[in-house]
Amino acid sequence: MSFINMFGRSANELKNVRCLAVTGVLSSLYIVLNAYVALNIGAPLRITFGFLALAIIGMLYGPVVAVIAAIPCDLLAATLDPHNAMNPIFTPNRALEALIYGLLLYGLLNVSYKDSVKQKAIFILKMTAARLIVIIICYFFVNNFLIFTFLLPAETTQRILSEGTFFAWAWARNGIKNIVQFPVDLSLMYIMLPAAGIAYTRTIRRVT
């Protein structure tokens, strides 16, 4: 599937009532997982699992649907999250995360546990790449840049810039969290995404 065709096909999914219904259910799941289900290792190590719903949306319906779903998902989840105040400056970053899932996972729906070693290896490789790219780009670079630019006091940002210690500051803030989070996230993706694909194929797709 070419890059342009991927976006066109994903956009066409929005015409399907099945897509809207399943995306609505997964969006609700994202809100619940992100706002109320978390692994609390100790501040600031709090790992949430809403990304699984976004990844499944990207796998089922592609980048266009995933990005459109991510925006209200992020705003509603942040509103309901008792641990974080809502701040819309992070919403574009969540949309970027959804875009990455859609680009790398769309078209992998039919991969199952019974597929060949090569097919499963491709699926695992793409899941690994998607989550690694999200953690590096969205969680480490973009998220820290947004906090640095919009939320830190001016004197703090000036000090960090003058000392040239942005990466040291970013690493101290959530570098360890990202390292801890990566294998946990991958383990969940390896289980949940193939299972979601099988369930979708056997139920939703079969009856429509």
Side-chain angles (χ1 to χ4, degrees):
M1 189 188 309
S2 71
F3 187 79
I4 295 177
N5 288 340
M6 180 184 296
F7 278 89
R9 182 179 169 187
S10 179
N12 284 333
E13 299 275 15
L14 293 169
K15 301 176 183 178
N16 194 321
V17 175
R18 175 187 62 201
C19 167
L20 300 178
V22 173
T23 301
V25 172
L26 289 170
S27 297
S28 300
L29 179 62
Y30 171 90
I31 293 169
V32 172
L33 289 176
N34 220 56
Y36 301 113
V37 181
L39 180 61
N40 293 301
I41 302 175
L45 299 182
R46 181 174 181 267
I47 299 175
T48 57
F49 305 105
F51 75 93
L52 291 168
L54 273 190
I56 293 172
I57 293 173
M59 179 184 70
L60 297 180
Y61 300 119
V64 175
V65 178
V67 168
I68 292 174
I71 295 172
C73 279
D74 181 71
L75 294 174
L76 289 172
T79 302
L80 297 173
D81 190 348
H83 298 87
N84 295 292
M86 188 190 76
N87 196 323
I89 68 169
F90 297 107
T91 301
N93 196 31
R94 191 66 65 201
L96 176 61
E97 178 180 352
L99 175 66
I100 293 170
Y101 292 138
L103 290 175
L104 289 176
L105 301 178
Y106 192 32
L108 297 179
L109 171 63
N110 294 321
V111 176
S112 74
Y113 297 109
K114 297 181 180 180
D115 283 330
S116 68
V117 174
K118 181 179 179 181
Q119 287 175 307
K120 288 188 285 189
I122 291 173
F123 197 10
I124 290 173
L125 180 62
K126 287 194 172 185
M127 281 192 293
T128 303
R131 193 55 186 166
L132 183 61
I133 291 171
V134 164
I135 286 180
I136 293 174
I137 294 180
C138 299
Y139 295 0
F140 186 78
F141 285 104
V142 177
N143 193 60
N144 282 321
F145 175 78
L146 291 172
I147 291 173
F148 179 84
T149 304
F150 296 103
L151 299 182
L152 288 184
E155 59 271 17
T156 302
T157 60
Q158 291 173 1
R159 176 180 57 79
I160 293 174
L161 287 174
S162 64
E163 296 174 354
T165 56
F166 172 80
F167 289 105
W169 168 80
W171 178 261
R173 182 182 172 274
N174 65 358
I176 299 300
K177 174 183 180 295
N178 289 329
I179 291 177
V180 173
Q181 183 172 354
F182 184 58
V184 175
D185 292 350
L186 276 186
S187 299
L188 291 171
M189 290 180 76
Y190 293 161
I191 297 169
M192 297 305 298
L193 267 66
I198 294 171
Y200 182 84
T201 301
R202 292 181 178 177
T203 56
I204 304 297
R205 174 179 280 187
R206 179 175 294 180
V207 300
T208 54

